[in-house]
Amino acid sequence: MRTLIIDDESDFREILRYQLQQHCPALSIVGEADGVSSGVKAIQSHQPELVFLDIDMPPGNGFDVLKQLQPLTFDVIFSTSHNEYAIQAFKFCALDYLLKPINKVELVNAVNKALQRQQKQQQHYHLEMLMSNLAQQDHDKKISLPTSGGLLFVPLPEIVRFEAEGRYTWCYRSTGEKHLITKTLKEYEEMLMGYQFLRIHKSHFIHLKHVVEYSRLDGGSVNMSDGSELQISRDKKVLFLSEMGKLF
């Protein structure tokens, strides 16, 4: 794959270039850039198939590069030191990112997945969804759900609840559909923090907007918009009532 590195830290570019040359022989590095403007020009000039793109490049960022190059015709592996918001956005869209300093194993895994995506021509929709999510309010965002057959891209408001199934998770939607997801409930709890979702039980992670009724009987339970009745753990009751109160 024709590969371009865009990062404002020259030391990082040098280290990454060396790591790629040593461990990723399927890549051919065709150029480098150190910022938004030079990055856009380098992509237009070299027409890469894969771009390693830094998020934090003051006074701009990696997303500014992508905004100037629509439609996107290349794959991207993002790199960042600390941007938690960006990391959450990548997880939503099933996109790869590398935390600095780069771990060799994580780098090789990310490159291998990029090669697989190139064969399946899957990446462009993921990037388009990322850019759309960054521009939208929470109620318009989509999230990727990995299933045994591939990836589903589902609007966040459609998700009623998640339910633990061992190392897997059931996702229930307002459309009446349910999907067995190849991620744990804890992963979705971390990913959707701040999006009006709440863990009310070791097995239940719910979208508060889909709560229809709360009952104090038998320690506390909720009725959801999909018709389910779910118990609330004793230690989650106060937090649940507090979070529900913020919606009104």
Side-chain angles (χ1 to χ4, degrees), residues 1-36:
M1 294 179 75
R2 294 170 53 81
T3 301
L4 187 71
I5 299 171
I6 303 176
D7 196 290
D8 63 344
E9 300 176 32
S10 59
D11 289 346
F12 177 81
R13 295 199 306 273
E14 182 178 351
I15 292 170
L16 179 57
R17 181 173 65 250
Y18 175 80
Q19 293 270 35
L20 293 175
Q21 290 170 342
Q22 293 296 309
H23 307 296
C24 304
L27 304 187
S28 172
I29 301 173
V30 296
E32 297 180 9
D34 61 2
V36 173

Side-chain angles (χ1 to χ4, degrees), residues 228-244:
S228 59
E229 181 179 357
L230 309 174
Q231 287 297 122
I232 301 177
S233 297
R234 184 175 301 176
D235 62 338
K236 299 291 187 181
K237 184 176 178 181
V238 172
L239 178 59
F240 166 76
L241 293 174
S242 173
E243 292 299 313
M244 285 299 295

Side-chain angles (χ1 to χ4, degrees), residues 46-172:
H46 295 289
Q47 295 295 305
E49 297 166 290
L50 174 64
V51 175
F52 284 87
L53 182 59
D54 186 24
I55 295 300
D56 306 302
M57 297 186 292
N61 59 55
F63 301 129
D64 294 328
V65 174
L66 301 181
K67 289 174 184 176
Q68 297 183 47
L69 293 166
Q70 301 292 326
L72 300 172
T73 59
F74 49 88
D75 199 344
V76 175
I77 296 175
F78 294 92
S79 60
T80 182
S81 299
H82 52 74
N83 194 322
E84 293 300 324
Y85 174 73
I87 290 172
Q88 188 177 48
F90 304 152
K91 289 180 178 179
F92 261 48
C93 304
L95 286 161
D96 284 314
Y97 64 93
L98 298 170
L99 287 175
K100 298 178 180 179
I102 284 181
N103 176 280
K104 181 184 74 173
V105 174
E106 293 176 354
L107 174 63
V108 171
N109 286 341
V111 168
N112 286 339
K113 285 192 282 185
L115 291 167
Q116 293 171 7
R117 285 194 298 267
Q118 184 193 39
Q119 293 175 347
K120 297 179 181 179
Q121 298 182 334
Q122 289 181 336
Q123 179 71 5
H124 299 158
Y125 182 74
H126 296 226
L127 284 169
E128 289 167 7
M129 192 173 93
L130 171 67
M131 299 308 293
S132 175
N133 277 355
L134 291 173
Q136 299 296 335
Q137 299 296 319
D138 290 351
H139 59 267
D140 292 320
K141 294 185 186 298
K142 289 185 178 181
I143 188 171
S144 65
L145 303 178
T147 69
S148 59
L151 284 172
L152 292 173
F153 298 97
V154 177
L156 212 52
E158 284 188 9
I159 298 177
V160 177
R161 60 189 179 95
F162 294 94
E163 183 174 335
E165 179 74 26
R167 296 180 62 183
Y168 297 90
T169 302
W170 282 105
C171 175
Y172 293 82

